[in-house]
Amino acid sequence: DGYPVLYVLDGNAMFAAFAEARRIQEYYDVGKGIVVGVGYPTDEAYDTRRLDDYTPPLLDPPPLNLRRLAKYKSGGRDQFLDFLTGKLRTEIGKRYKINPERQSLFGHSLGGLLALHALYSRPQAFSSIVAASPSLEWNEQGVLVEEREFTARLTSGKIGKTARLMVVVGGRDRDDNPDVAEAFANRMALLSGYGLRTRFRRYDEEGHMTVPVRAVPDTLRFVFEPR
């Protein structure tokens, strides 16, 4: 039926680890699939343009802890999702035979926040979503509004099929509270009766920047294993 595809945000930093793990694991573990790293034209691991692509507009005035970021553009997440699900997916489909029913998304930190926005706003756009150390406290936990609206739509039957969700965190994460993420995953697990399948992984020895690498094997199994 075509290859399953995993889109990895912050591709400059993440793509190599995912691509090499996929190459090795395809022999005995996850089978064949395509990893697409979505990054920026820079040699740096991260680019400030991710702020615009991954976030809602900053509050006005911005929270005290985010004021240093007010000089950067933000709020372009829906245009970025249009690119991910439209132009980029079409281009990958031209190059390879892909399975349109098995398109997955991985995001870390602000990328994890964007991945959750994809789940809430376009629950059928991806078959699986992995949010690693998602920045749930961004904009004074503004994502809670989206979560409540999504939950209400799902439990009232207004959403049919929805993506599966995996949340991964590090026990030593000092940037995004792992307990907040675990509580979030537990709330999502309560929606299993409405079709949302949720998995949670906590890596007690990992910090904010090491969680993505630790999560690579679990992510590949979650999105690529036949089910």
Side-chain angles (χ1 to χ4, degrees):
D1 298 322
Y3 292 108
V5 182
L6 171 63
Y7 297 89
V8 177
L9 302 183
D10 288 315
N12 302 67
M14 309 293 177
F15 176 72
F18 275 94
E20 186 62 15
R22 183 218 61 82
R23 186 177 72 88
I24 295 171
Q25 285 185 262
E26 74 174 25
Y27 290 101
Y28 298 107
D29 199 351
V30 301
K32 295 185 180 294
I34 295 172
V35 173
V36 179
V38 186
Y40 301 91
T42 175
D43 292 331
E44 301 297 324
Y46 296 95
D47 191 281
T48 55
R49 283 169 282 192
R50 70 196 289 271
L51 183 67
D52 186 33
D53 288 336
Y54 298 169
T55 67
L58 279 176
L59 296 176
D60 186 16
L64 182 61
N65 65 322
L66 299 179
R67 286 181 184 174
R68 61 186 174 83
L69 301 176
K71 61 183 178 181
Y72 300 112
K73 187 178 179 182
S74 63
R77 59 183 184 173
D78 288 313
Q79 293 90 332
F80 184 70
L81 280 179
D82 287 343
F83 166 74
L84 284 180
T85 59
K87 184 177 181 179
L88 179 58
R89 189 174 296 185
T90 298
E91 181 62 30
I92 299 301
K94 290 178 180 178
R95 301 186 186 192
Y96 306 97
K97 183 180 179 182
I98 65 175
N99 185 340
E101 301 300 318
R102 297 187 64 189
Q103 306 282 303
S104 302
L105 179 65
F106 173 92
H108 167 245
S109 193
L110 287 180
L113 186 66
L114 185 279
L116 295 180
H117 176 62
L119 172 67
Y120 297 151
S121 64
R122 311 182 191 199
Q124 299 172 0
F126 297 95
S127 58
S128 300
I129 286 177
V130 180
S133 298
S135 299
L136 297 173
E137 298 176 12
W138 186 263
N139 262 0
E140 298 181 346
Q141 300 188 59
V143 70
L144 287 175
V145 176
E146 286 191 276
E147 180 190 329
R148 295 187 190 106
E149 292 174 350
F150 169 78
T151 299
R153 289 162 55 216
L154 185 66
T155 55
S156 65
K158 295 180 180 179
I159 298 176
K161 184 179 179 182
T162 184
R164 302 185 307 153
L165 173 66
M166 182 162 78
V167 180
V168 300
V169 298
R172 296 184 176 183
D173 194 331
R174 296 179 181 179
D175 291 325
D176 293 304
N177 191 321
D179 294 330
V180 172
E182 184 168 1
F184 161 71
N186 289 337
R187 293 196 301 273
M188 294 295 98
L190 295 175
L191 301 175
S192 61
Y194 299 94
L196 178 64
R197 296 166 58 191
T198 302
R199 188 177 299 180
F200 177 75
R201 294 284 185 271
R202 180 173 179 141
Y203 309 120
D204 287 331
E205 297 304 313
E206 307 302 333
H208 189 71
M209 300 309 296
T210 61
V211 164
V213 176
R214 177 65 178 81
V216 168
D218 285 339
T219 296
L220 293 178
R221 282 191 287 267
F222 184 68
V223 304
F224 283 159
E225 279 185 342
R227 57 182 190 276

